[in-house]
Amino acid sequence: MSADVRQITTSELPEWMLAQNRGFLRTEPLTPDDVAQRAAHSDLARTQGAFARDTGRCVATFRSFAQELTVPGGAAVTSSAVTNVTVLPTHRRQGLLTRMMAAELAAAKERGDVLSTLIAAEYPIYGRYGYGPAASVSEWEIDVPRTGLDPRRPAPADGGRIELVDAAEARRVGPALHERLRTTSSRGCCPIRGRPGS
């Protein structure tokens, strides 16, 4: 093998992030604030990198985070959420993804995670590891009179409303709202308690 797969260290996080950006074709420069934010929201014990033996550069990335899923019936189960998976074109077809996935699935089993979810745009790549789409369609219904958006109707008695918010406000209020609503959902599974990968 031309690269070693292992858990990254704090000092390797910037190099790991550069490799991830390359893998996702992002060209914006990496800032110290970017690194600080990633460090604050990542568990490095669950962050793997593949490092080229000849250059020492990170050539593949892989991360997971703890997640809890509400399953039909309202039970909550632990899950490993896989995200930030990249392999640079220079090191594809060398088994790096397979090695990182195998290490994560073994660690998830050791942790007692009941299942694993995948945050990926190209989910068919991961079918060989047992992943598949969670749903083929999604449908949302909004009862406009209850939203208070129709000025001809009275506002909801509980003062509810719909607002557009920025990302910071969504991060502030979203988790509590989600936690309040997740166990009352009568339709299938919904992911909870995990910070989305970016």
Side-chain angles (χ1 to χ4, degrees):
M1 291 293 177
S2 62
D4 296 313
V5 171
R6 59 179 166 73
Q7 176 184 319
I8 70 166
T9 64
T10 303
S11 64
E12 292 168 332
L13 184 57
E15 173 67 23
W16 185 92
M17 291 176 68
L18 284 172
Q20 178 196 349
N21 284 352
R22 287 184 202 109
F24 288 135
L25 305 177
R26 295 180 185 147
T27 57
E28 58 274 5
L30 189 64
T31 69
D33 285 345
D34 295 333
V35 176
Q37 183 176 16
R38 171 63 70 193
H41 296 288
S42 296
D43 180 353
L44 293 188
R46 298 176 70 141
T47 305
Q48 300 178 58
F51 294 85
R53 289 186 181 158
D54 56 348
T55 64
R57 289 181 58 197
C58 187
V59 295
T61 64
F62 189 106
R63 183 174 75 87
S64 74
F65 58 91
Q67 186 180 57
E68 188 178 83
L69 247 55
T70 304
V71 295
V77 297
T78 60
S79 172
S80 170
V82 173
T83 189
N84 298 142
V85 180
T86 67
V87 178
L88 296 186
T90 54
H91 287 74
R92 290 196 180 133
R93 306 199 60 79
Q94 297 180 24
L96 297 178
L97 170 58
T98 297
R99 290 164 59 197
M100 292 186 293
M101 186 66 76
E104 173 55 27
L105 293 177
K109 181 179 178 183
E110 188 70 25
R111 286 189 301 265
D113 292 335
V114 175
L115 50 92
S116 178
T117 61
L118 175 70
I119 301 166
E122 306 266 346
Y123 74 85
I125 296 170
Y126 302 90
R128 61 188 159 165
Y129 306 111
Y131 294 97
S136 57
V137 296
S138 178
E139 180 179 306
W140 296 79
E141 293 179 21
I142 298 176
D143 184 352
V144 175
R146 289 188 63 212
T147 66
L149 295 177
D150 187 341
R152 298 170 297 169
R153 306 211 185 258
D158 64 2
R161 64 188 185 277
I162 293 178
E163 284 185 44
L164 296 176
V165 298
D166 62 17
E169 181 69 2
R171 282 191 294 273
R172 188 182 73 76
V173 301
L177 176 63
H178 183 75
E179 187 63 26
R180 192 177 91 209
L181 297 176
R182 73 177 175 89
T183 58
T184 62
S185 175
S186 61
R187 298 181 185 188
C189 303
C190 63
I192 63 161
R193 282 196 196 154
R195 186 175 190 286
S198 57

